[in-house]
Amino acid sequence: MSTPKVAFYTLGCKLNFSETSTIARNFQDEGYERVEFESDPDVVVINTCSVTENADKRFKTIVKQAQKSNPDAFIIGIGCYAQLKPEELANVNGVDLVLGATEKFKVTDYITDLTKNDFGEVHSCEIDEADFYVGSYSIGDRTRAFLKVQDGCDYKCTYCTIPLARGISRSDKLENVLKNAKEISEQGIKEIVLTGVNIGDYGKGEFGNKKHEHTFLDLVKSLDYVEGIDRVRISSIEPNLLKDETIDFVANSNCFVPHFHIPLQSGSNQLLKKMRRRYMRELYVDRVESIKSKMPDACIGVDVIVGFPGETDELFLETFNFLNELDISYLHVFTFSERDNTPAAEMEDVVPLKVRKKRSKMLRGLSAKKRRAFYESQLESTHEVLFEGENKSGYIHGFTENYVKVKSFWNPELVNTKHQVMLNEIDEDGLVKVDFVNEVIPAE
């Protein structure tokens, strides 16, 4: 009998990518061959997201693509959407198996044979059973790996389904995080991106144990000395959990880079209260100023939601002006979408979709302006770039430690290597052209 082939498609966040990678290794341990999505696989695993309505709709599109590649492929849905709406997923034509938040880590246990089912079979736990931790990390990109350190969330933001999809906040043990980091290092990967749902809450134990054996600062300090890892990025951290001690440590660390992604969601205190966020805009300003006072060249990214119920023109402009005046580098803009079983879905003063889209476009324009201004502020300065592995139209791309995306003429010898460069000028595509400080021998 030939070796069964399995392919994966991941929607959503870095955390999903880290989990897909670990689940893929489990399949390979069970004798499956991992192939590309388009390579006629026998099994297709789709790791879903449910942060926005659009992510839900994309699932059906991916299923159709899988069926086009192989009409007989055994199709499995896992991830957040699979936990929130398993029956809805199972009813999509062509789906054979749907697994919830705890079941997804033992997918192969649920595959008896690869015969297509007449109806999607569902195995989904109650979300309060998702109280144990499963570690994971992604390997595939030669340059960086996503390392999961935490899962779930105890916050009750009124727009968010993540606690319903992933359960309570819980963390990996510090020794296991370090073991995974060492395994990543042994693959020759130079950069680790820390991921989780609420990584600043790192330290809470399993099974509802809220006692922090270690803190996020303990985690950061320990990871600063993993042999072979040159860079560690903090992917996203809540402003109320980003403490001065962490900022101080990053400013002077061996590996941690001056790049922070800090969710804001709104620049209006009135809306922050309606969202049940755990800070006011004044704290956000304080965090940005603290970072910039210690790391003037730090890159700061911001998550923001537009069109939340009750967001009048005046309140939107309050957010726009707040962000315009803030010393930040780029925005991730999310258009509010009503999610089932969230308080925000029942709120009055709904913002029309047309208005939401217009405001989203305005903030995306502001993001482009902010990113360009940040890039311009870095021109004619020297930075260290870690180059990536793809030849894109004759160029190789990479990121500086403070997240400026640069380009240079393709040279395979640069892949997964670090170099000192001078940032010269911003090209038409928005990327920065560089000169090498130390001479690089061109590829033959």
Side-chain angles (χ1 to χ4, degrees):
M1 185 178 167
S2 61
T3 303
K5 296 183 288 184
V6 60
F8 297 85
Y9 199 105
T10 305
L11 296 163
C13 60
K14 296 179 178 76
L15 179 55
N16 269 8
F17 278 93
S18 75
E19 291 181 342
T20 296
S21 194
T22 293
I23 291 165
R25 290 193 292 277
N26 293 341
F27 266 92
Q28 288 168 305
D29 290 344
E30 294 290 332
Y32 288 77
E33 178 192 354
R34 183 175 183 178
V35 297
E36 294 301 315
F37 187 73
E38 304 80 12
S39 302
D40 195 25
D42 302 299
V43 179
V44 174
V45 181
I46 305 170
N47 195 352
T48 63
C49 167
S50 195
V51 171
T52 66
E53 200 70 46
N54 188 44
D56 291 2
K57 289 172 183 170
R58 281 193 67 198
F59 176 76
K60 291 178 183 175
T61 306
I62 308 307
V63 171
K64 282 179 184 170
Q65 288 175 7
Q67 289 175 305
K68 205 171 178 181
S69 177
N70 179 5
D72 297 321
F74 191 85
I75 299 174
I76 305 169
I78 63 172
C80 291
Y81 185 23
Q83 176 62 38
L84 290 171
K85 298 190 176 179
E87 301 298 337
E88 193 173 300
L89 257 180
N91 288 332
V92 173
N93 183 44
V95 173
D96 298 289
L97 183 61
V98 177
L99 300 177
T102 63
E103 294 81 6
K104 65 186 174 187
F105 294 109
K106 40 186 190 288
V107 184
T108 54
D109 291 358
Y110 292 94
I111 303 173
T112 49
D113 61 52
L114 299 181
T115 307
K116 294 288 288 177
N117 291 329
D118 293 331
F119 303 99
E121 186 182 319
V122 173
H123 296 275
S124 182
C125 67
E126 293 298 323
I127 197 57
D128 57 9
E129 294 172 32
D131 60 358
F132 59 91
Y133 187 85
V134 179
S136 58
Y137 59 86
S138 72
I139 282 185
D141 181 342
R142 283 175 60 189
T143 309
R144 69 177 57 81
F146 301 134
L147 173 58
K148 174 183 167 186
V149 299
Q150 183 274 342
D151 202 349
C153 189
D154 292 340
Y155 287 9
K156 298 290 187 285
C157 301
T158 53
Y159 53 82
C160 187
T161 57
I162 296 300
L164 301 173
R166 285 188 168 270
I168 60 171
S169 178
R170 57 210 187 271
S171 311
D172 206 350
K173 290 181 170 59
L174 186 57
E175 58 267 27
N176 197 49
V177 173
L178 295 174
K179 179 179 80 69
N180 286 342
K182 189 169 183 293
E183 287 177 13
I184 290 167
S185 166
E186 287 166 355
Q187 300 288 322
I189 293 168
K190 297 281 198 297
E191 181 175 313
I192 285 175
V193 182
L194 301 183
T195 70
V197 175
N198 188 0
I199 64 173
D201 201 28
Y202 176 82
K204 283 181 181 170
E206 297 181 290
F207 314 115
N209 176 12
K210 301 302 179 195
K211 183 175 180 290
H212 284 67
E213 189 177 339
H214 293 102
T215 65
F216 184 70
L217 182 61
D218 293 335
L219 173 73
V220 167
K221 285 181 174 177
S222 299
L223 283 168
D224 205 37
Y225 294 99
V226 175
E227 196 175 329
I229 298 297
D230 293 345
R231 289 181 175 179
V232 185
R233 280 185 203 279
I234 299 169
S235 63
S236 180
I237 185 166
E238 293 285 306
N240 53 302
L241 295 175
L242 178 56
K243 307 297 185 187
D244 276 330
E245 310 90 81
T246 303
I247 295 170
D248 291 342
F249 185 81
V250 170
N252 298 291
S253 75
N254 295 314
C255 296
F256 279 81
V257 293
H259 174 207
F260 295 84
H261 194 93
I262 315 169
L264 169 68
Q265 312 308 12
S266 175
S268 158
N269 282 344
Q270 184 180 326
L271 290 180
L272 288 173
K273 287 174 186 172
K274 279 188 80 173
M275 292 175 171
R276 285 194 209 145
R277 300 293 286 162
R278 298 195 177 197
Y279 53 87
M280 293 290 100
R281 55 186 260 161
E282 290 76 14
L283 175 82
Y284 200 93
V285 172
D286 182 74
R287 298 297 78 203
V288 170
E289 288 178 351
S290 179
I291 291 167
K292 286 292 188 174
S293 68
K294 287 143 191 163
M295 293 167 272
D297 292 329
C299 177
I300 301 176
V302 183
D303 286 341
V304 61
I305 295 171
V306 295
F308 190 80
E311 186 185 63
T312 60
D313 286 344
E314 291 76 18
L315 292 180
F316 169 70
L317 283 174
E318 195 178 333
T319 293
F320 186 94
N321 292 332
F322 178 74
L323 289 165
N324 190 34
E325 291 163 15
L326 208 56
D327 192 3
I328 54 165
S329 314
Y330 64 90
L331 307 173
H332 280 175
V333 184
F334 298 90
T335 305
F336 173 77
S337 60
E338 289 81 356
R339 316 304 293 148
D340 289 346
N341 302 314
T342 62
E346 309 298 323
M347 288 179 181
E348 297 176 350
D349 301 321
V350 172
V351 178
L353 275 174
K354 191 174 176 184
V355 176
R356 296 183 211 182
K357 287 178 180 174
K358 181 184 173 187
R359 291 175 183 172
S360 179
K361 190 175 180 182
M362 285 177 69
L363 280 182
R364 289 197 170 99
L366 178 62
S367 179
K369 179 185 139 189
K370 286 283 187 182
R371 191 185 294 273
R372 184 164 187 103
F374 176 63
Y375 280 14
E376 284 176 350
S377 75
Q378 301 302 300
L379 295 180
E380 297 182 11
S381 61
T382 302
H383 287 274
E384 194 170 67
V385 171
L386 177 58
F387 283 100
E388 301 185 346
E390 237 180 313
N391 182 346
K392 294 183 179 175
S393 307
Y395 286 94
I396 188 169
H397 296 155
F399 284 94
T400 64
E401 71 286 353
N402 62 341
Y403 213 55
V404 174
K405 191 170 185 180
V406 309
K407 62 192 287 190
S408 182
F409 293 111
W410 171 252
N411 179 348
E413 292 175 18
L414 293 176
V415 173
N416 200 32
T417 62
K418 288 196 312 180
H419 293 274
Q420 292 286 325
V421 299
M422 171 73 76
L423 305 189
N424 274 342
E425 61 175 317
I426 302 173
D427 206 5
E428 296 171 347
D429 57 6
L431 306 187
V432 178
K433 288 180 166 179
V434 299
D435 280 337
F436 289 86
V437 174
N438 299 314
E439 189 179 348
V440 175
I441 301 167
E444 291 180 6

